[in-house]
Amino acid sequence: MPFYQKRGQIPEKRHTQFYDKSGKIYWEELISREGFSWIYSNVYHINPPTAVSKIGEFQKNNLDPWKKEHRHHHLFTHKLNSSGDAISARKPLFFNSDLTIYKAHVDTSMDIYYRNGHHDEVIFIHEGKGSLYSNFGKLELGPGDYTVIPRGTIWQLEINEPMKQVIIETSGPLETPSRYRNRHGQLLENSPFSERDIRTPEYMRPKTEGPVNIKVRLKDGYQSYEYRTHPFDIIGWDGYFFPWVFNIHDFMPITGKVHQPPPVHQVFQAPGLVICNFVPRLYDYHPHAVPAPYAHSNLDSDEILYYIKGDFMSRKGVEEGSITFHPMGLPHGPQPGKIKESLGAKETNELAVMIDTFKPLQITTQATKVCLLYTSPSPRDGLLSRMPSSA
């Protein structure tokens, strides 16, 4: 996120001698993107951040795709058999080379630390509360929070109330939409949110105990490391690189005289995908407007829509935690009766997250356990056919 932050104690100049009261020099660490050419932060450790005392065995992590008919799907993700901490509870649902989408029902605090070495992450909190502790400080999390965790961040999640999370793990950096930023990176006046809405980490006193176990996520699996001292032994830091939080309720929707296309609801971008959110808003005000979205053949995107709560105007049968999956190459739109039902409506109270990918997604075998299989049109809703026996 391109704006400057500073926490704790730092020297007047980068890469200069910086001592504690006893005369011991602090260890400077540069955490940077794209080599030395993009955003970065300088952090200052009490102990060397490179001291590893033990390395565990690499654990392979293979995603198992469900390769059958090309069609729409409806997942009831609240029915997933998921529990544990913020990492062990994750169940992969969709993936391609740009991202993996997980659902997690988190009921246990983490007893290890975690670092994603090859991916950025955004964790959406559907329900529950907790505290995210990282090498940059503390963030309090609650319902509606998008928690952006750039790769390389070391973190641990403490659960105060059980959480339902949607995790989007991306191969490239997560950013605010480029069309909502000026040439200096500041969010524009016509952006649906601003820097005032973004929460950044609170400073924490440095931790010095050890050893500490860190589980590191890599492209094809996990590697564990035992560090001699705590990675949160940071006396201060400054820069543009850090985890941050934006809450969906702080998004100010853009509306129009006729139906606006989904890009006006965009909140994040990453290579190969965009993330949008649908929030309570007034409907279109043209006297002959059709509030329900038009049928759409999106020829270059797969669409994932995660339903949070509210009255979902365009579709029947959805629940909190439902995901509808609309792959490219097939038209999709409101179910029969929903267009007529929307006429004259003044507002909507729906709350949902949408992920559009620019490469086809694969659905996992785990996802099909809570999936409605749409095999033939039904006169009632145009989609629903049967539920697999494994659900």
Side-chain angles (χ1 to χ4, degrees):
M1 187 64 197
F3 62 96
Y4 178 78
Q5 297 283 289
K6 181 174 71 173
R7 300 289 186 275
Q9 303 174 47
I10 60 173
E12 289 186 5
K13 292 289 187 181
R14 296 171 295 172
H15 323 317
T16 58
Q17 298 172 31
F18 182 33
Y19 295 95
D20 66 13
K21 292 179 180 180
S22 67
K24 180 182 175 183
I25 197 166
Y26 290 118
W27 290 75
E28 182 181 18
E29 179 188 8
L30 173 70
I31 304 175
S32 62
R33 304 301 297 261
E34 297 182 8
F36 299 87
S37 302
W38 197 41
I39 61 172
Y40 63 90
S41 287
N42 293 89
V43 304
Y44 296 88
H45 294 266
I46 295 172
N47 300 298
T50 54
V52 176
S53 55
K54 189 185 299 183
I55 299 178
E57 293 185 7
F58 181 79
Q59 298 175 343
K60 189 77 173 175
N61 179 44
N62 292 319
L63 295 173
D64 188 14
W66 184 78
K67 296 182 178 179
K68 293 196 177 181
E69 297 90 346
H70 183 77
R71 58 187 174 190
H72 303 295
H73 290 77
H74 181 175
L75 281 64
F76 292 89
T77 69
H78 278 8
K79 301 182 188 298
L80 277 169
N81 182 18
S82 167
S83 63
D85 66 28
I87 306 305
S88 63
R90 293 182 174 185
K91 302 295 181 184
L93 302 178
F94 302 91
F95 68 97
N96 65 22
S97 59
D98 294 321
L99 82 163
T100 303
I101 301 171
Y102 305 83
K103 182 72 184 297
H105 301 165
V106 183
D107 54 14
T108 305
S109 296
M110 295 169 65
D111 60 4
I112 61 167
Y113 292 84
Y114 183 75
R115 177 173 63 215
N116 201 321
H118 288 166
H119 311 86
D120 289 55
E121 296 184 357
V122 58
I123 303 174
F124 179 77
I125 311 299
H126 185 158
E127 297 177 4
K129 295 181 181 179
S131 301
L132 183 87
Y133 299 94
S134 79
N135 47 333
F136 294 93
K138 179 182 179 182
L139 285 162
E140 295 293 347
L141 306 182
D145 280 341
Y146 288 102
T147 310
V148 178
I149 307 177
R151 71 182 62 190
T153 303
I154 302 171
W155 58 274
Q156 186 180 66
L157 183 62
E158 180 181 282
I159 297 300
N160 299 325
E161 296 177 8
M163 283 184 171
K164 287 186 169 65
Q165 302 178 349
V166 176
I167 303 97
I168 306 161
E169 184 185 66
T170 65
S171 60
L174 281 149
E175 306 173 311
T176 53
S178 55
R179 71 173 179 278
Y180 289 139
R181 287 186 261 127
N182 62 29
R183 66 181 182 273
H184 294 291
Q186 183 182 17
L187 289 166
L188 291 164
E189 269 292 297
N190 64 340
S191 171
F193 58 106
S194 75
E195 286 81 5
R196 293 185 187 184
D197 301 314
I198 291 168
R199 307 200 310 270
T200 57
E202 300 174 14
Y203 177 72
M204 297 189 308
R205 294 180 63 84
K207 295 178 179 288
T208 56
E209 68 269 20
V212 172
N213 289 314
I214 300 177
K215 185 173 186 175
V216 178
R217 168 81 163 109
L218 303 171
K219 182 179 179 181
D220 298 318
Y222 298 92
Q223 179 79 62
S224 63
Y225 296 85
E226 183 182 271
Y227 280 78
R228 291 179 185 172
T229 56
H230 206 291
F232 296 177
D233 65 337
I234 294 172
I235 196 71
W237 64 269
D238 79 328
Y240 284 55
F241 177 94
F242 46 84
W244 51 279
V245 173
F246 171 76
N247 191 280
I248 193 172
H249 298 288
D250 289 323
F251 191 85
M252 307 298 285
I254 297 171
T255 59
K257 198 167 184 177
V258 295
H259 188 84
Q260 298 296 295
V264 302
H265 305 291
Q266 186 181 346
V267 63
F268 301 112
Q269 65 183 31
L273 69 140
V274 296
I275 301 173
C276 304
N277 42 222
F278 297 95
V279 301
R281 62 195 183 278
L282 295 177
Y283 275 140
D284 330 306
Y285 52 91
H286 188 283
H288 301 296
V290 179
Y294 33 77
H296 183 210
S297 290
N298 194 339
L299 304 180
D300 298 304
S301 294
D302 276 9
E303 178 185 298
I304 297 286
L305 198 59
Y306 179 83
Y307 298 86
I308 303 166
K309 66 178 181 179
D311 181 15
F312 305 115
M313 169 266 294
S314 63
R315 189 160 300 284
K316 302 172 184 176
V318 296
E319 301 176 355
E320 291 189 11
S322 282
I323 284 179
T324 55
F325 170 44
H326 304 287
M328 64 180 75
L330 297 174
H332 68 278
Q335 291 170 317
K338 283 295 188 176
I339 291 177
K340 185 176 181 180
E341 187 180 307
S342 76
L343 299 180
K346 301 299 183 185
E347 61 182 357
T348 176
N349 289 310
E350 66 187 7
L351 204 61
V353 173
M354 186 178 80
I355 308 159
D356 273 2
T357 68
F358 307 139
K359 296 175 186 174
L361 286 165
Q362 296 194 70
I363 188 169
T364 67
T365 53
Q366 292 191 57
T368 61
K369 295 177 181 179
V370 291
C371 185
L372 287 169
L373 301 181
Y374 301 152
T375 57
S376 60
S378 159
R380 181 174 65 84
D381 59 16
L383 284 176
L384 180 58
S385 162
R386 61 185 176 86
M387 180 74 126
S389 59
S390 59

